[in-house]
Amino acid sequence: KFAFLTLFRTPFVTAVAIVSLALGIGATAGIFSVFHQVLLQSLAVPDPSALVNLGAPGPKPGFESCGRAGDCEVVFSYAMFRDLQKIQMVFTDIAAHVGFSANLAYEAQTSSGEGLLVSGSYFPVLELQPALGRLLNSNDDTLVGESRVVVLGYNYWSSRFGLDPTILNKQIVVNGQRLTIVGVAPKGFDGTTIGMRPAVYVPITLRELLDANFNSWSLRTDYWAYLFARLRPGVTIEAARASLGAQYHAIVNDVEAPLQKDITPQTMERFRAKAILVDPGGRGQSSVPDQAQTPLRLLLGVTALVLLIACGNIANLLLVRSAARAGEMAIRLSIGASRERLIGQLLTESLLLAALGGIAGMVVAHWTLVLVVSLLPPEVQHTIPFSISSTVVLFGIGLTFATGLLFGLFPALHSTRPDLISALKNQAGQPSGAKGAARVRQLLATSQIALAMTLLASSGFFVKSLLNVSHVDLGFKVDRVVTFGLSPDLNGYSVDRTRLFFQRLEDELRATPGVTAETMSNVPLLAGTNRSR
């Protein structure tokens, strides 16, 4: 109570301090929320630390297809997945998955979204329990084209079906195929790839039914499956890497190397020597962290500088106020108060000030998140649920406590060692230690200016970089270009009917008033999709 009354004897100083802290703590907590969700947050599954991601770098003569779950260095052929699954001894099992565009229809109402083709081991490896019904298991992917079943994502079940428990055993049309709903994924689980929110989970053995252009089950030169596994109890990543590496090399050299045609001896040597990657997989599989870690670290560093500037500003204000309280501190010391008790009282005031700033900072953190999300593409806004989680709140509390100590410690130490005689006599001269305090205030002011100039210079560099990016020659004129995607095969169109559809579409687009030219491609421009042969 005394600390609260003391702070509001100087309302202007207190208000400036709270606003400064709110901006510093709020901006830092808001950016940390994004940083945590993209780079640090583990999957919402039991014991995520036991999960590992598998990768297959090296020469891959043939066809590669990859997307947001990772680049083409980590994808495997389906045949290799089944081989590894049969012979491995260090994992509870290995799971495979690949995303697909889903056209969904139920009771004459259609929608589009994302789906995930998964092996029967996908949910057992993650050790998940269904919110309703059952999840896919090894009985659902024994034969290609069988087990026409589907598991709904919890969010899709909530938004489309209103959490209706009677949805089990009813049929939903996925890319023109009728599948029976057997269960719902658990709440809070949105797949294993950041930026993807699957509406449906379908057995991987149904891929050919859902994608008319696919027929690569046995091709060892067609790489498209993402793999992860769960370590057996007591097995380390190093042991798993050594064991699986030996088995992988045997398959590569004995089975796959003889199948390679028309490659140079140097490439064949690299092909035979390529290694398998076994890396921690508790955060899932995604290309987003690798792409986002540098800008997010820069943003977090920038907001930390803002907080340091705020701390320097408040420490300066407290030093100035301590000069006015020199008499109060001298009287307390002279009548027997210990210095430790006075330091505790002043630090209590600082921590109370920091707490008020931290509370206001949570509001600023929320609006920082709103601003960050508003700058993201719409598809990212809907797939990554940025929010102030309990982890972010704990981070904010810790940051508030550390900030209070940072800006309050030196003023507290300085204020509790006045020259008692000078202070009690209220002499006109400067009290003892005033010159030292003045030097510290000058140092703090200089540091604030230096940090502010660093931020301004960094901002200038960012603006210049954005201007440079906006003027990069992409090889084509982007103004007045409209792009969109169509997938007739997702609606059951045959190959011949699809060809006729696109021919007619080209003719009608070309004849549309205002259209000067039209073209189409299988891989869209600047869309984050990679296919190679």
Side-chain angles (χ1 to χ4, degrees):
K1 181 178 179 181
F2 178 77
F4 188 85
L5 292 174
T6 302
L7 287 178
F8 284 92
R9 286 175 187 166
T10 53
F12 178 76
V13 173
T14 301
V16 170
I18 291 174
V19 171
S20 299
L21 284 171
L23 291 174
I25 294 175
T28 305
I31 297 302
F32 175 79
S33 177
V34 180
F35 186 90
H36 175 262
Q37 288 180 262
V38 174
L39 299 182
L40 302 178
Q41 186 166 270
S42 298
L43 294 174
V45 302
D47 192 15
S49 62
L51 296 176
V52 294
N53 294 331
L54 307 184
K60 292 181 180 178
F63 183 76
E64 295 175 289
S65 177
C66 51
R68 280 178 288 175
D71 60 32
C72 289
E73 287 286 293
V74 300
V75 290
F76 291 78
S77 68
Y78 183 79
M80 177 61 82
F81 157 59
R82 290 304 187 188
D83 286 346
L84 293 176
Q85 190 180 36
K86 290 176 184 177
I87 65 174
Q88 65 81 24
M89 298 176 291
V90 290
F91 306 124
T92 59
D93 207 341
I94 300 177
H97 64 97
V98 63
F100 70 99
S101 298
N103 185 288
L104 308 172
Y106 181 79
E107 294 184 347
Q109 293 186 12
T110 62
S111 62
S112 59
E114 292 182 309
L116 201 63
L117 290 157
V118 302
S119 63
S121 53
Y122 182 85
F123 289 109
V125 166
L126 294 173
E127 297 183 352
L128 292 173
Q129 299 299 318
L132 182 71
R134 71 172 180 88
L135 301 176
L136 302 178
N137 56 52
S138 58
N139 295 322
D140 294 313
D141 68 347
T142 53
L143 295 174
V144 171
E146 293 191 356
S147 297
R148 298 196 175 199
V149 295
V150 61
V151 168
L152 305 181
Y154 189 93
N155 290 318
Y156 179 65
W157 179 50
S158 174
S159 60
R160 176 63 183 85
F161 300 100
L163 305 179
D164 181 8
T166 65
I167 196 67
L168 291 180
N169 299 318
K170 294 184 179 179
Q171 290 192 325
I172 182 173
V173 178
V174 181
N175 292 1
Q177 303 295 322
R178 290 189 174 276
L179 306 180
T180 301
I181 300 171
V182 296
V184 177
K187 185 177 182 180
F189 177 73
D190 292 318
T192 48
T193 299
I194 296 175
M196 287 185 66
R197 233 180 186 184
V200 291
Y201 300 86
V202 181
I204 201 168
T205 46
L206 297 184
R207 184 174 186 185
E208 190 173 351
L209 287 176
L210 305 183
D211 183 356
N213 299 316
F214 178 82
N215 186 16
S216 303
W217 296 114
S218 60
L219 287 179
R220 290 183 174 273
T221 55
D222 195 348
Y223 306 89
W224 52 268
Y226 293 94
L227 307 187
F228 67 91
R230 180 178 288 274
L231 295 168
R232 290 184 184 274
V235 177
T236 64
I237 289 184
E238 291 74 19
R241 188 180 295 121
S243 175
L244 196 65
Q247 297 164 333
Y248 178 72
H249 274 131
I251 298 172
V252 168
N253 285 275
D254 299 340
V255 180
E256 297 198 341
L259 301 176
Q260 303 303 318
K261 306 297 182 183
D262 302 323
I263 64 174
T264 65
Q266 293 84 359
T267 303
M268 177 58 77
E269 183 179 355
R270 291 171 52 224
F271 183 87
R272 289 181 177 276
K274 63 181 183 178
I276 190 170
L277 303 180
V278 181
D279 298 315
R283 296 198 298 271
Q285 291 173 296
S286 177
S287 58
V288 172
D290 290 338
Q291 297 169 359
Q293 61 179 342
T294 298
L296 284 180
R297 285 172 178 169
L298 285 172
L299 277 175
L300 196 60
V302 166
T303 54
L305 285 178
V306 172
L307 185 57
L308 281 176
I309 293 173
C311 288
N313 183 37
I314 298 168
N316 233 336
L317 291 173
L318 294 182
L319 278 173
V320 172
R321 192 173 67 174
S322 68
R325 300 183 66 181
E328 174 193 341
M329 295 296 108
I331 292 174
R332 288 185 165 198
L333 288 169
S334 65
I335 60 176
S338 66
R339 190 184 180 203
E340 290 76 14
R341 185 171 183 178
L342 293 181
I343 291 175
Q345 172 64 38
L346 293 173
L347 285 178
T348 301
E349 296 174 12
S350 298
L351 291 173
L352 177 60
L353 187 61
L356 294 173
I359 293 171
M362 288 297 101
V363 178
V364 176
H366 169 74
W367 287 109
T368 300
L369 267 183
V370 171
L371 176 62
V372 170
V373 172
S374 69
L375 298 175
L376 296 174
E379 59 271 19
V380 178
Q381 295 180 21
H382 295 113
T383 54
I384 302 179
F386 292 117
S387 61
I388 303 296
S389 64
S390 57
T391 302
V392 177
V393 173
L394 290 175
F395 173 81
I397 292 173
L399 190 63
T400 298
F401 183 79
T403 300
L405 291 178
L406 182 62
F407 69 72
L409 186 58
F410 180 79
L413 293 173
H414 171 75
S415 299
T416 54
R417 57 179 184 186
D419 184 335
L420 293 181
I421 297 177
S422 299
L424 291 172
K425 289 184 176 180
N426 196 23
Q427 291 182 347
Q430 285 186 331
S432 175
K435 291 183 179 180
R439 285 194 295 269
V440 172
R441 289 198 299 270
Q442 290 174 358
L443 177 61
L444 288 172
T446 303
S447 300
Q448 290 178 67
I449 295 171
L451 291 173
M453 291 302 297
T454 301
L455 286 179
L456 287 173
S458 301
S459 301
F461 291 140
F462 279 126
V463 171
K464 184 178 180 181
S465 297
L466 287 174
L467 290 175
N468 290 339
V469 168
S470 67
H471 291 90
V472 168
D473 183 7
L474 300 177
F476 60 95
K477 295 182 179 179
V478 297
D479 49 321
R480 298 189 300 279
V481 172
V482 177
T483 64
F484 58 94
L486 292 171
S487 299
D489 54 318
L490 299 186
N491 291 279
Y493 278 56
S494 65
V495 175
D496 292 337
R497 189 181 176 195
T498 297
R499 186 180 297 109
L500 292 173
F501 172 82
F502 278 118
Q503 289 174 354
R504 179 181 174 186
L505 179 64
E506 283 190 290
D507 293 339
E508 294 198 10
L509 284 175
R510 196 178 296 114
T512 302
V515 173
T516 60
E518 57 76 33
T519 188
M520 59 181 62
S521 65
N522 189 34
V523 179
L525 295 169
L526 306 177
T529 301
N530 185 16
R531 297 182 185 180
S532 62
R533 185 179 293 281

